[in-house]
Amino acid sequence: MWMTIKSPRKRLCQGDLGAESIDFLDIVFRLEREFNIKIPRGELFPESIFQGDPDFVKDGKVTQKGIDELKEKMPFADLSDFTKNPTLEAISNLFTVESIVNFIDAKLKAAH
């Protein structure tokens, strides 16, 4: 599995590109190597945001505080569709080819 710019809206998970957890490690490794950057754990894929924090998730829905946290941790992701129905399951839809391109673009701009 590797992404292509030809499909910026493709989601990494849930059917589009079928990424699994090991693929996320591979993506980070390839991005670091290709762009000569370091991506600290959790920076691109902030996996620990919603692990059991009742301020962030209630009854399977991400709270406003959780949405605010996502916006802070993932400024590179388009949350517009997610905020309409912020279910915990829909978080994986935020990880798209486009969000990764936006992340890398911001990372490279910050380095220069």
Side-chain angles (χ1 to χ4, degrees), residues 57-74:
V57 179
K58 184 174 182 173
D59 300 324
K61 294 266 189 177
V62 179
T63 64
Q64 186 58 52
K65 186 173 182 180
I67 290 170
D68 293 341
E69 183 76 4
L70 273 175
K71 288 178 181 178
E72 181 183 328
K73 299 281 186 186
M74 299 178 66

Side-chain angles (χ1 to χ4, degrees), residues 26-59:
D26 185 50
I27 289 168
V28 169
F29 172 76
R30 288 177 183 238
L31 292 171
E32 287 180 330
R33 189 177 64 202
E34 181 69 26
F35 296 101
N36 196 29
I37 58 174
K38 288 301 291 170
I39 302 172
R41 183 176 179 178
E43 184 178 6
L44 177 56
F45 304 112
E47 69 274 353
S48 63
I49 293 176
F50 299 106
Q51 293 180 352
D53 191 329
D55 289 338
F56 293 154
V57 179
K58 184 174 182 173
D59 300 324

